Amino acid sequence: MRKVGFGHFDLMQYPHDANLNLTVLLETLCEFKDAPGTELHLQTDSASDNKHKTVLGFLGLLVHLGIFEECYLHMLPVGHTHEDRLHVFKLFKLFKRRHYDPSW
């Protein structure tokens, strides 16, 4: 099984809600349009926008359209949000400051 990670960043120009989450998911899925596989496993934190009916409806649509046979939504426990990957975001924050914050 191949594991792939992607990062998408915005400069706070969009509301951080279910629509942004689905836009990022759709862009990521387009990277695999030639061979998407049969199952989608989506891991998110427990924020309410990840449990939104729009997200669940989108996953259902992916199954209904035959893009995936099954979709799984995995929620991390509250307070345990990607702890092992937080150091990566420190690097992104530094990059953002250097390149987009004129006062830095």
XYZ file of all heavy atoms in Angstrom:
858
model
N 0.839 -1.172 0.000
C 0.000 0.000 0.000
C 0.889 1.242 0.000
O 1.857 1.331 0.729
C -0.912 0.009 1.221
C -1.766 1.251 1.266
S -2.683 1.536 2.809
C -3.492 0.007 3.060
N 0.541 2.197 -0.805
C 1.296 3.435 -0.927
C 0.663 4.505 -0.044
O -0.530 4.742 -0.094
C 1.273 3.868 -2.388
C 1.976 5.153 -2.649
C 2.018 5.424 -4.112
N 0.667 5.608 -4.621
C 0.376 6.330 -5.691
N 1.339 6.878 -6.372
N -0.857 6.466 -6.101
N 1.471 5.152 0.762
C 0.990 6.258 1.598
C 1.562 7.542 1.043
O 2.753 7.640 0.761
C 1.416 6.075 3.049
C 0.734 4.919 3.723
C 1.110 4.865 5.173
C 0.394 3.704 5.839
N 0.643 3.674 7.268
N 0.709 8.524 0.882
C 1.115 9.795 0.301
C 0.599 10.916 1.181
O -0.519 10.851 1.677
C 0.548 9.945 -1.129
C 0.921 11.282 -1.724
C 1.022 8.808 -2.011
N 1.404 11.938 1.370
C 0.970 13.103 2.126
C 1.022 14.343 1.255
O 1.906 14.472 0.412
N 0.083 15.222 1.437
C 0.021 16.481 0.693
C -0.168 17.624 1.676
O -0.744 17.433 2.739
C -1.172 16.505 -0.285
C -0.959 15.686 -1.509
C -1.363 14.364 -1.548
C -0.373 16.239 -2.636
C -1.166 13.605 -2.677
C -0.182 15.484 -3.772
C -0.574 14.168 -3.792
N 0.286 18.780 1.300
C 0.049 19.978 2.097
C -0.510 21.069 1.206
O -0.008 21.294 0.112
N -1.558 21.704 1.646
C -2.152 22.837 0.936
C -2.209 23.997 1.909
O -2.605 23.820 3.058
C -3.572 22.499 0.447
C -3.599 21.463 -0.608
N -3.608 21.772 -1.942
C -3.604 20.115 -0.539
C -3.630 20.666 -2.652
N -3.632 19.649 -1.810
N -1.830 25.165 1.438
C -1.762 26.320 2.321
C -2.474 27.501 1.702
O -2.465 27.683 0.488
C -0.296 26.686 2.587
C 0.466 25.539 3.134
C 1.206 24.727 2.302
C 0.404 25.240 4.476
C 1.883 23.636 2.801
C 1.073 24.151 4.988
C 1.821 23.350 4.146
N -3.082 28.292 2.553
C -3.674 29.544 2.097
C -3.182 30.640 3.023
O -2.641 30.369 4.089
C -5.203 29.465 2.076
C -5.788 29.510 3.460
O -5.520 28.602 4.273
O -6.526 30.455 3.736
N -3.341 31.844 2.609
C -2.885 32.983 3.397
C -4.058 33.651 4.102
O -4.144 34.867 4.180
C -2.159 33.978 2.492
C -0.934 33.391 1.797
C -0.361 34.377 0.803
C 0.108 32.968 2.810
N -4.968 32.818 4.583
C -6.158 33.259 5.304
C -7.097 34.063 4.406
O -7.853 34.894 4.880
C -5.784 34.058 6.550
C -4.890 33.306 7.521
S -5.583 31.740 8.089
C -6.829 32.321 9.199
N -7.050 33.813 3.097
C -7.939 34.532 2.196
C -9.294 33.823 2.054
O -10.205 34.380 1.483
C -7.287 34.745 0.817
C -7.139 33.518 -0.036
C -5.793 32.814 0.124
O -5.246 32.738 1.204
N -5.288 32.268 -0.951
N -9.406 32.617 2.566
C -10.656 31.869 2.494
C -11.110 31.494 3.901
O -10.272 31.244 4.778
C -10.479 30.574 1.691
C -9.937 30.796 0.311
C -8.666 30.366 -0.027
C -10.687 31.449 -0.666
C -8.155 30.571 -1.310
C -10.185 31.651 -1.940
C -8.925 31.212 -2.247
O -8.422 31.414 -3.499
N -12.414 31.416 4.120
C -12.893 30.920 5.427
C -12.452 29.469 5.617
O -12.481 28.684 4.671
C -14.417 31.008 5.316
C -14.698 31.889 4.152
C -13.516 31.812 3.248
N -12.027 29.131 6.799
C -11.609 27.761 7.087
C -12.833 26.976 7.534
O -13.163 26.922 8.710
C -10.520 27.763 8.154
C -9.219 28.258 7.627
N -8.032 28.010 8.241
C -8.909 28.964 6.513
C -7.046 28.544 7.548
N -7.570 29.141 6.492
N -13.485 26.365 6.559
C -14.722 25.649 6.830
C -14.767 24.379 5.984
O -13.780 23.999 5.353
C -15.932 26.540 6.554
C -15.977 27.076 5.122
O -15.176 26.626 4.270
O -16.816 27.942 4.842
N -15.911 23.718 5.973
C -16.068 22.463 5.232
C -15.812 22.658 3.738
O -15.258 21.778 3.083
C -17.468 21.894 5.465
N -16.185 23.806 3.183
C -15.967 24.035 1.756
C -14.476 24.070 1.412
O -14.059 23.517 0.393
C -16.634 25.338 1.313
C -18.138 25.234 1.333
O -18.693 24.197 1.028
N -18.790 26.311 1.709
N -13.679 24.697 2.234
C -12.231 24.716 1.994
C -11.668 23.308 2.117
O -10.855 22.873 1.293
C -11.529 25.657 2.965
C -10.001 25.700 2.848
C -9.565 26.199 1.475
C -9.408 26.565 3.943
N -12.109 22.566 3.127
C -11.631 21.193 3.304
C -11.943 20.343 2.078
O -11.108 19.559 1.620
C -12.263 20.559 4.545
C -11.807 21.229 5.820
O -10.865 22.016 5.818
N -12.478 20.929 6.903
N -13.136 20.488 1.538
C -13.513 19.693 0.367
C -12.791 20.146 -0.890
O -12.470 19.322 -1.749
C -15.028 19.734 0.165
C -15.828 19.042 1.258
C -17.317 19.168 0.992
C -15.425 17.593 1.389
N -12.507 21.429 -1.005
C -11.737 21.917 -2.146
C -10.339 21.312 -2.135
O -9.836 20.836 -3.158
C -11.645 23.455 -2.123
O -12.975 23.985 -2.213
C -10.808 23.981 -3.269
N -9.712 21.280 -0.969
C -8.383 20.681 -0.840
C -8.448 19.187 -1.129
O -7.595 18.643 -1.837
C -7.810 20.967 0.560
C -6.555 20.148 0.813
C -7.528 22.446 0.724
N -9.466 18.519 -0.613
C -9.615 17.088 -0.868
C -9.803 16.817 -2.357
O -9.170 15.920 -2.921
C -10.799 16.520 -0.073
C -11.119 15.045 -0.306
C -9.920 14.161 0.020
C -12.340 14.634 0.509
N -10.625 17.592 -3.011
C -10.868 17.402 -4.440
C -9.594 17.639 -5.252
O -9.280 16.871 -6.172
C -11.986 18.326 -4.917
C -12.442 18.155 -6.358
C -12.916 16.731 -6.619
C -13.536 19.152 -6.679
N -8.839 18.681 -4.923
C -7.582 18.934 -5.622
C -6.603 17.776 -5.435
O -5.898 17.386 -6.365
C -6.946 20.235 -5.134
C -7.665 21.473 -5.604
C -7.023 22.752 -5.099
O -5.912 22.685 -4.507
O -7.629 23.813 -5.291
N -6.572 17.219 -4.237
C -5.690 16.085 -3.966
C -6.145 14.855 -4.742
O -5.329 14.139 -5.327
C -5.647 15.792 -2.458
O -5.223 16.970 -1.774
C -4.692 14.662 -2.149
N -7.450 14.602 -4.766
C -7.969 13.446 -5.506
C -7.681 13.566 -7.000
O -7.469 12.555 -7.676
C -9.470 13.286 -5.267
C -9.872 12.856 -3.864
C -11.389 12.852 -3.725
C -9.297 11.495 -3.524
N -7.670 14.774 -7.517
C -7.362 14.977 -8.941
C -5.945 14.534 -9.277
O -5.660 14.168 -10.420
C -7.571 16.431 -9.334
S -9.310 16.887 -9.434
N -5.052 14.541 -8.289
C -3.684 14.065 -8.512
C -3.661 12.563 -8.796
O -2.708 12.048 -9.372
C -2.806 14.364 -7.291
C -2.609 15.831 -7.022
C -1.710 16.491 -8.045
O -0.765 15.832 -8.521
O -1.964 17.665 -8.370
N -4.704 11.852 -8.373
C -4.768 10.398 -8.527
C -5.881 9.967 -9.477
O -6.354 8.841 -9.417
C -5.001 9.727 -7.167
C -3.886 9.966 -6.209
C -3.976 10.971 -5.268
C -2.734 9.202 -6.264
C -2.948 11.204 -4.379
C -1.699 9.426 -5.385
C -1.805 10.440 -4.436
N -6.301 10.843 -10.362
C -7.463 10.552 -11.202
C -7.260 9.349 -12.117
O -8.223 8.698 -12.498
C -7.855 11.771 -12.021
C -6.808 12.223 -13.000
C -7.229 13.493 -13.696
C -6.066 14.001 -14.530
N -6.267 15.341 -14.972
N -6.030 9.005 -12.446
C -5.788 7.858 -13.319
C -5.884 6.528 -12.576
O -6.208 5.515 -13.187
C -4.415 7.984 -13.991
C -4.348 9.194 -14.902
O -5.400 9.571 -15.468
O -3.262 9.775 -15.028
N -5.587 6.514 -11.292
C -5.630 5.282 -10.512
C -6.011 5.598 -9.075
O -5.175 5.551 -8.173
C -4.281 4.579 -10.567
N -7.279 5.937 -8.819
C -7.651 6.361 -7.467
C -7.722 5.241 -6.434
O -7.743 5.501 -5.256
C -9.029 6.986 -7.669
C -9.591 6.262 -8.836
C -8.398 5.971 -9.733
N -7.776 3.984 -6.848
C -7.954 2.891 -5.905
C -9.434 2.648 -5.645
O -10.305 3.270 -6.255
N -9.727 1.743 -4.725
C -11.120 1.404 -4.447
C -11.619 1.967 -3.124
O -12.819 2.048 -2.908
C -11.314 -0.125 -4.432
O -10.469 -0.687 -3.428
C -10.981 -0.726 -5.790
N -10.689 2.334 -2.232
C -11.068 2.853 -0.921
C -10.397 4.199 -0.678
O -9.260 4.416 -1.069
C -10.622 1.908 0.196
C -11.315 0.577 0.197
C -10.838 -0.311 1.332
O -9.917 0.092 2.085
O -11.375 -1.405 1.469
N -11.122 5.079 0.010
C -10.570 6.344 0.459
C -10.586 6.342 1.976
O -11.627 6.128 2.597
C -11.400 7.524 -0.068
C -11.006 8.895 0.466
C -9.606 9.277 -0.017
C -12.010 9.949 0.059
N -9.425 6.547 2.576
C -9.307 6.701 4.023
C -8.899 8.139 4.285
O -7.814 8.567 3.897
C -8.268 5.736 4.594
C -8.702 4.318 4.549
N -9.286 3.706 5.628
C -8.658 3.405 3.557
C -9.582 2.454 5.299
N -9.203 2.259 4.040
N -9.764 8.884 4.939
C -9.532 10.294 5.207
C -9.387 10.486 6.712
O -10.292 10.154 7.472
C -10.706 11.120 4.668
C -10.629 12.618 4.804
C -9.437 13.170 4.028
C -11.917 13.253 4.308
N -8.228 10.984 7.155
C -7.987 11.221 8.570
C -8.071 12.706 8.853
O -7.415 13.512 8.194
C -6.605 10.710 8.973
C -6.268 10.971 10.419
C -4.928 10.400 10.791
O -4.646 9.253 10.498
N -4.091 11.210 11.430
N -8.906 13.083 9.794
C -9.080 14.489 10.143
C -9.042 14.658 11.656
O -9.117 13.690 12.404
C -10.423 15.041 9.623
O -11.491 14.429 10.357
C -10.608 14.786 8.143
N -8.957 15.904 12.070
C -9.122 16.170 13.491
C -10.624 16.171 13.793
O -11.440 15.932 12.917
C -8.446 17.472 13.903
C -8.974 18.689 13.152
O -10.059 18.594 12.554
O -8.314 19.723 13.174
N -10.963 16.428 15.011
C -12.372 16.335 15.413
C -13.106 17.663 15.334
O -14.144 17.837 15.966
C -12.471 15.775 16.834
O -12.018 14.451 16.848
N -12.606 18.597 14.568
C -13.278 19.886 14.423
C -14.642 19.701 13.775
O -14.842 18.813 12.953
C -12.418 20.838 13.586
N -15.571 20.566 14.138
C -16.940 20.411 13.651
C -17.044 20.530 12.133
O -17.897 19.897 11.519
C -17.861 21.424 14.318
O -17.445 22.741 13.998
N -16.161 21.322 11.501
C -16.250 21.454 10.044
C -15.843 20.170 9.333
O -16.194 19.968 8.180
C -15.440 22.644 9.531
C -13.995 22.626 9.955
O -13.686 22.027 10.999
O -13.168 23.217 9.235
N -15.125 19.275 10.003
C -14.791 17.980 9.405
C -15.910 16.963 9.596
O -15.931 15.940 8.930
C -13.493 17.442 9.996
C -12.304 18.255 9.564
O -12.238 18.706 8.431
N -11.372 18.475 10.463
N -16.824 17.230 10.532
C -17.974 16.350 10.755
C -19.232 16.919 10.106
O -20.319 16.435 10.317
C -18.211 16.173 12.249
C -17.081 15.489 12.968
C -17.433 15.279 14.416
C -16.637 16.230 15.254
N -16.791 16.024 16.679
N -19.074 17.945 9.325
C -20.180 18.662 8.708
C -20.908 17.773 7.697
O -20.305 16.925 7.043
C -19.624 19.911 8.019
C -20.658 20.917 7.660
N -21.349 20.866 6.485
C -21.116 21.995 8.332
C -22.189 21.880 6.432
N -22.062 22.591 7.545
N -22.200 17.991 7.558
C -22.992 17.192 6.621
C -22.487 17.317 5.181
O -22.639 16.400 4.386
C -24.465 17.583 6.702
C -24.735 19.026 6.305
C -26.188 19.387 6.487
C -26.389 20.864 6.161
N -27.740 21.296 6.447
N -21.849 18.431 4.851
C -21.315 18.621 3.510
C -20.172 17.645 3.244
O -20.067 17.075 2.162
C -20.829 20.069 3.319
O -21.875 20.957 3.694
C -20.412 20.339 1.899
N -19.310 17.441 4.240
C -18.196 16.502 4.092
C -18.731 15.083 3.936
O -18.325 14.343 3.035
C -17.228 16.601 5.290
C -16.160 15.519 5.222
C -16.589 17.985 5.344
N -19.663 14.706 4.798
C -20.229 13.358 4.717
C -20.975 13.156 3.405
O -20.895 12.091 2.782
C -21.147 13.104 5.915
C -20.459 13.163 7.279
C -21.478 13.031 8.398
C -19.388 12.110 7.395
N -21.684 14.184 2.953
C -22.384 14.097 1.676
C -21.424 13.942 0.509
O -21.682 13.188 -0.435
N -20.299 14.651 0.556
C -19.301 14.548 -0.509
C -18.712 13.141 -0.571
O -18.545 12.575 -1.656
C -18.201 15.584 -0.300
C -17.159 15.571 -1.378
C -17.431 16.101 -2.632
C -15.902 15.034 -1.149
C -16.466 16.092 -3.636
C -14.938 15.023 -2.141
C -15.224 15.553 -3.388
N -18.415 12.566 0.594
C -17.893 11.202 0.614
C -18.927 10.225 0.061
O -18.584 9.299 -0.682
C -17.471 10.812 2.029
C -16.328 11.633 2.635
C -16.043 11.185 4.059
C -15.082 11.565 1.773
N -20.186 10.438 0.398
C -21.258 9.606 -0.160
C -21.366 9.755 -1.668
O -21.605 8.783 -2.386
N -21.170 10.967 -2.158
C -21.209 11.212 -3.605
C -20.076 10.485 -4.321
O -20.276 9.939 -5.411
C -21.135 12.716 -3.876
C -21.205 13.142 -5.339
C -22.561 12.767 -5.942
C -20.966 14.641 -5.461
N -18.898 10.453 -3.714
C -17.774 9.728 -4.308
C -18.093 8.248 -4.481
O -17.729 7.635 -5.485
C -16.513 9.897 -3.461
C -15.909 11.303 -3.397
C -14.747 11.334 -2.406
C -15.462 11.768 -4.776
N -18.811 7.682 -3.521
C -19.219 6.278 -3.618
C -20.339 6.128 -4.647
O -20.306 5.241 -5.506
C -19.661 5.735 -2.238
C -20.256 4.337 -2.371
C -18.475 5.729 -1.280
N -21.312 7.004 -4.601
C -22.459 6.936 -5.520
C -22.016 7.036 -6.983
O -22.562 6.345 -7.852
C -23.456 8.044 -5.191
C -24.638 8.078 -6.091
N -25.661 7.150 -5.996
C -24.969 8.898 -7.113
C -26.565 7.411 -6.920
N -26.163 8.476 -7.617
N -21.027 7.890 -7.246
C -20.548 8.072 -8.615
C -19.595 6.962 -9.051
O -19.157 6.940 -10.197
C -19.858 9.427 -8.766
C -20.759 10.653 -8.608
C -19.929 11.933 -8.647
C -21.836 10.668 -9.677
N -19.256 6.055 -8.137
C -18.374 4.937 -8.479
C -16.899 5.296 -8.493
O -16.079 4.528 -8.997
N -16.545 6.444 -7.946
C -15.139 6.835 -7.901
C -14.402 5.961 -6.880
O -13.274 5.539 -7.116
C -15.007 8.328 -7.580
C -15.658 9.134 -8.725
C -13.560 8.730 -7.370
C -15.814 10.600 -8.449
N -15.063 5.699 -5.752
C -14.556 4.771 -4.745
C -15.666 3.800 -4.388
O -16.852 4.140 -4.441
C -14.113 5.510 -3.474
C -12.903 6.380 -3.666
C -13.033 7.745 -3.819
C -11.637 5.826 -3.702
C -11.930 8.549 -3.999
C -10.528 6.617 -3.886
C -10.670 7.980 -4.038
N -15.276 2.594 -3.990
C -16.258 1.629 -3.511
C -16.638 1.929 -2.063
O -17.785 1.737 -1.667
C -15.706 0.211 -3.628
C -15.550 -0.260 -5.059
C -14.937 -1.641 -5.155
O -14.855 -2.350 -4.118
O -14.537 -2.018 -6.263
N -15.667 2.386 -1.291
C -15.904 2.703 0.120
C -15.071 3.917 0.525
O -13.950 4.090 0.052
C -15.519 1.523 1.020
C -16.345 0.284 0.776
C -15.925 -0.878 1.660
O -14.997 -0.721 2.481
O -16.528 -1.941 1.531
N -15.627 4.739 1.399
C -14.912 5.878 1.973
C -14.970 5.766 3.489
O -16.030 5.493 4.050
C -15.551 7.204 1.543
S -15.356 7.595 -0.184
N -13.832 5.957 4.130
C -13.742 5.903 5.579
C -13.274 7.254 6.097
O -12.297 7.803 5.608
C -12.747 4.827 6.026
C -13.159 3.429 5.626
C -12.703 2.873 4.443
C -14.011 2.692 6.427
C -13.074 1.600 4.059
C -14.400 1.405 6.059
C -13.917 0.869 4.872
O -14.295 -0.383 4.505
N -13.976 7.762 7.085
C -13.607 9.021 7.723
C -13.106 8.702 9.123
O -13.864 8.225 9.973
C -14.809 9.972 7.779
C -14.582 11.336 8.397
C -13.487 12.096 7.663
C -15.878 12.138 8.390
N -11.823 8.904 9.365
C -11.198 8.617 10.650
C -11.012 9.925 11.410
O -10.369 10.846 10.912
C -9.835 7.942 10.441
C -9.899 6.700 9.621
N -10.225 5.476 10.149
C -9.699 6.505 8.293
C -10.213 4.576 9.186
N -9.899 5.168 8.050
N -11.580 9.995 12.602
C -11.469 11.180 13.451
C -10.464 10.925 14.567
O -10.554 9.918 15.262
C -12.818 11.521 14.090
C -13.878 11.889 13.117
S -13.568 13.538 12.513
C -15.028 13.782 11.564
N -9.533 11.839 14.726
C -8.583 11.742 15.826
C -9.243 12.226 17.106
O -10.114 13.098 17.073
C -7.350 12.590 15.529
C -6.503 12.086 14.377
C -5.430 13.112 14.030
C -5.859 10.768 14.719
N -8.834 11.685 18.252
C -9.403 12.143 19.524
C -9.083 13.617 19.762
O -8.047 14.116 19.331
C -8.713 11.277 20.578
C -8.088 10.156 19.841
C -7.872 10.609 18.436
N -9.960 14.291 20.457
C -9.752 15.699 20.787
C -8.441 15.835 21.558
O -8.169 15.067 22.471
C -10.938 16.237 21.627
C -10.672 17.654 22.078
C -12.223 16.153 20.829
N -7.623 16.797 21.163
C -6.354 17.034 21.825
C -5.197 16.217 21.287
O -4.066 16.376 21.722
N -5.442 15.339 20.338
C -4.387 14.504 19.773
C -4.272 14.738 18.270
O -4.144 13.826 17.478
C -4.676 13.029 20.040
C -4.655 12.687 21.481
N -5.735 12.891 22.302
C -3.676 12.185 22.261
C -5.431 12.502 23.521
N -4.186 12.081 23.525
N -4.308 15.979 17.880
C -4.359 16.319 16.473
C -2.982 16.312 15.847
O -2.240 17.268 15.984
C -5.006 17.711 16.302
O -6.212 17.726 17.038
C -5.321 17.976 14.855
N -2.638 15.263 15.180
C -1.409 15.186 14.383
C -0.172 15.603 15.175
O 0.689 16.305 14.668
C -1.535 16.054 13.127
C -2.809 15.865 12.374
N -3.068 14.734 11.657
C -3.898 16.657 12.251
C -4.271 14.840 11.105
N -4.791 15.993 11.460
N -0.071 15.166 16.415
C 1.039 15.582 17.271
C 2.391 15.277 16.645
O 3.328 16.042 16.780
C 0.939 14.888 18.624
C -0.224 15.372 19.453
C -0.409 14.546 20.705
O 0.058 13.393 20.738
O -1.032 15.052 21.641
N 2.486 14.168 15.941
C 3.770 13.769 15.373
C 4.170 14.610 14.172
O 5.305 14.566 13.730
C 3.742 12.291 14.991
C 2.623 11.958 14.018
O 1.601 12.655 14.026
O 2.782 10.983 13.248
N 3.274 15.417 13.657
C 3.578 16.207 12.471
C 3.632 17.711 12.745
O 3.846 18.492 11.842
C 2.544 15.920 11.388
C 2.588 14.471 10.953
C 1.615 14.206 9.844
N 1.589 12.778 9.603
C 0.603 11.978 9.935
N -0.463 12.460 10.494
N 0.658 10.688 9.697
N 3.445 18.111 13.976
C 3.391 19.532 14.288
C 4.701 20.251 13.989
O 4.697 21.425 13.641
C 2.996 19.749 15.751
C 1.534 19.449 16.088
C 1.289 19.673 17.570
C 0.586 20.277 15.255
N 5.834 19.556 14.088
C 7.113 20.206 13.810
C 7.201 20.671 12.365
O 7.862 21.658 12.063
C 8.272 19.265 14.142
C 8.348 18.073 13.255
N 7.525 16.983 13.413
C 9.130 17.811 12.179
C 7.806 16.096 12.482
N 8.772 16.563 11.714
N 6.527 20.001 11.450
C 6.534 20.397 10.048
C 5.866 21.762 9.886
O 6.328 22.611 9.125
C 5.822 19.347 9.170
C 5.691 19.821 7.738
C 6.565 18.028 9.241
N 4.793 21.999 10.631
C 4.075 23.262 10.501
C 4.897 24.439 11.028
O 4.713 25.563 10.584
C 2.718 23.176 11.185
C 1.783 22.276 10.448
C 1.571 20.971 10.864
C 1.140 22.717 9.305
C 0.732 20.134 10.160
C 0.303 21.892 8.595
C 0.094 20.595 9.023
N 5.812 24.180 11.943
C 6.701 25.246 12.387
C 7.562 25.736 11.225
O 7.812 26.925 11.078
C 7.581 24.756 13.534
C 6.826 24.544 14.819
C 7.742 24.048 15.909
C 6.944 23.751 17.168
N 7.774 23.209 18.227
N 8.010 24.804 10.378
C 8.796 25.180 9.211
C 7.966 25.990 8.226
O 8.438 26.973 7.652
C 9.354 23.932 8.533
C 10.336 23.112 9.352
C 10.686 21.821 8.610
C 11.574 23.906 9.668
N 6.720 25.596 8.013
C 5.842 26.332 7.111
C 5.553 27.736 7.641
O 5.494 28.694 6.882
C 4.536 25.588 6.882
C 4.708 24.310 6.124
C 4.120 23.148 6.577
C 5.446 24.264 4.949
C 4.283 21.971 5.876
C 5.614 23.091 4.249
C 5.030 21.944 4.714
N 5.384 27.841 8.950
C 5.123 29.143 9.555
C 6.329 30.066 9.353
O 6.174 31.239 9.018
C 4.825 28.961 11.044
C 4.394 30.218 11.741
C 4.003 29.904 13.181
C 3.535 31.141 13.896
N 3.137 30.867 15.274
N 7.519 29.529 9.525
C 8.721 30.317 9.306
C 8.825 30.750 7.839
O 9.136 31.903 7.545
C 9.954 29.510 9.709
C 11.301 30.195 9.552
C 11.377 31.443 10.423
C 12.410 29.227 9.921
N 8.558 29.844 6.926
C 8.590 30.166 5.496
C 7.590 31.275 5.173
O 7.905 32.228 4.469
C 8.265 28.918 4.671
C 8.172 29.182 3.198
C 9.313 29.210 2.406
C 6.942 29.398 2.601
C 9.229 29.459 1.050
C 6.846 29.653 1.249
C 7.997 29.677 0.468
N 6.379 31.136 5.702
C 5.330 32.130 5.448
C 5.755 33.508 5.953
O 5.573 34.504 5.276
C 4.040 31.669 6.132
C 2.879 32.605 5.956
C 1.657 32.045 6.681
C 0.628 33.093 6.889
N -0.482 32.650 7.697
N 6.341 33.548 7.148
C 6.794 34.821 7.696
C 7.860 35.463 6.820
O 7.831 36.654 6.553
C 7.350 34.620 9.100
C 6.321 34.608 10.162
C 6.989 34.705 11.512
N 6.054 34.388 12.550
C 6.396 33.849 13.707
N 7.646 33.550 13.954
N 5.490 33.595 14.610
N 8.801 34.657 6.394
C 9.915 35.201 5.601
C 9.469 35.709 4.242
O 10.012 36.670 3.730
C 10.986 34.137 5.404
C 11.838 33.940 6.606
C 13.009 33.056 6.302
N 13.827 32.902 7.488
C 14.717 31.968 7.631
N 14.932 31.096 6.676
N 15.426 31.889 8.733
N 8.502 35.041 3.651
C 8.117 35.372 2.278
C 6.873 36.243 2.139
O 6.665 36.842 1.099
C 7.946 34.080 1.473
C 9.236 33.338 1.321
N 10.205 33.714 0.436
C 9.713 32.257 1.978
C 11.236 32.882 0.540
N 10.961 31.993 1.460
N 6.032 36.283 3.176
C 4.771 37.000 3.047
C 4.527 38.065 4.095
O 3.569 38.796 4.018
C 3.592 36.013 3.048
C 3.651 35.054 1.895
C 4.023 33.738 2.091
C 3.337 35.473 0.611
C 4.083 32.857 1.014
C 3.404 34.604 -0.466
C 3.770 33.301 -0.251
O 3.835 32.437 -1.303
N 5.374 38.151 5.085
C 5.200 39.144 6.135
C 6.264 40.233 5.953
O 7.436 40.020 6.276
C 5.338 38.484 7.511
C 5.020 39.446 8.641
O 4.761 40.646 8.353
O 5.029 39.017 9.795
N 5.886 41.385 5.436
C 6.867 42.427 5.142
C 7.565 42.967 6.390
O 8.641 43.536 6.296
C 6.054 43.514 4.459
C 4.646 43.231 4.780
C 4.532 41.786 5.115
N 6.983 42.801 7.562
C 7.589 43.328 8.777
C 8.630 42.387 9.378
O 9.302 42.735 10.325
C 6.500 43.625 9.825
O 5.884 42.424 10.235
N 8.766 41.184 8.808
C 9.687 40.216 9.403
C 11.080 40.414 8.949
O 11.483 40.657 7.894
C 9.212 38.794 9.073
C 9.797 37.793 9.991
C 9.454 37.590 11.286
C 10.846 36.863 9.712
N 10.193 36.579 11.834
C 11.050 36.121 10.876
C 11.613 36.581 8.602
C 12.006 35.121 10.958
C 12.553 35.580 8.698
C 12.748 34.855 9.872
